[in-house]
Amino acid sequence: GQQVMQIPQYQHVQEGEDFTTYCNSSTTLSNIQWYKQRPGGHPVFLIQLVKSGEVKKQKRLTFQFGEAKKNSSLHITATQTTDVGTYFCAGPGDSSYKLIFGSGTRLLVRP
Amino acid sequence: KAGVTQTPRYLIKTRGQQVTLSCSPISGHRSVSWYQQTPGQGLQFLFEYFSETQRNKGNFPGRFSGRQFSNSRSEMNVSTLELGDSALYLCASSLARAQVATQYFGPGTRLLVL
């Protein structure tokens, strides 16, 4: 079945360092979404990418959708302690009504 | 608008029992999805409902079932609980009619099976 993989599983950085998580799908995606889950919280929507090669920015966060629409990345510049959490990518499954989540990347930031 | 609400927030059950979890979506949202989150398996899709119809189901045994009411509120039921069913169960609502759209998650129900 369709799979969405994320790497790395964990990333421990010093505050101020950059962070990147990568998402790869076994199939072409019509769109990809990113979510953030704070410790003890629930996933919160960050952004959706639709177009091949699309790049979107939200302050220190940069999201990219690959040309083949099978991979995506999230880059955080100069991490802060408020960035701590698990970042998930998600794409439509074999049905339009089903969202497949990646395994997530847990970010820890040392102050 | 009020967010997605889930009840109860915490639940302790024993093996063999059954459990019903409830979800109230954001007002106006007619799509409700359920996910199981565990440390080992991440976020796993359970099922999705729209206008009282189940449109898709994940790879879970028949012990997991759900339904949606005319007011879009949804319930999921797990029968004959197993230790492995211990997890955070998340409900998410969206405006989606024809395609998966932004999911707005509730706080979840944390189920512990002893």
Side-chain angles (χ1 to χ4, degrees), chain B residues 15-81:
Chain B
R15 279 180 298 174
Q17 288 187 308
Q18 75 164 19
V19 66
T20 299
L21 312 182
S22 181
C23 170
S24 292
I26 291 172
S27 177
H29 286 192
R30 293 165 64 187
S31 170
V32 173
S33 298
W34 288 89
Y35 298 86
Q36 181 195 65
Q37 186 173 32
T38 58
Q41 297 297 317
L43 271 162
Q44 301 288 313
F45 173 82
L46 279 156
F47 23 66
E48 188 263 358
Y49 288 89
F50 183 88
S51 292
E52 302 179 66
T53 299
Q54 185 184 87
R55 298 194 294 188
N56 210 329
K57 191 177 191 305
N59 297 323
F60 280 82
R63 300 185 297 107
F64 291 81
S65 63
R67 58 178 176 169
Q68 187 180 34
F69 301 96
S70 58
N71 61 358
S72 294
R73 191 177 68 85
S74 178
E75 288 181 348
M76 68 163 281
N77 183 276
V78 188
S79 63
T80 319
L81 284 167

Side-chain angles (χ1 to χ4, degrees), chain A residues 96-107:
Chain A
S96 294
Y97 315 123
K98 179 179 177 179
L99 201 59
I100 303 297
F101 279 79
S103 45
T105 295
R106 185 178 175 190
L107 172 64

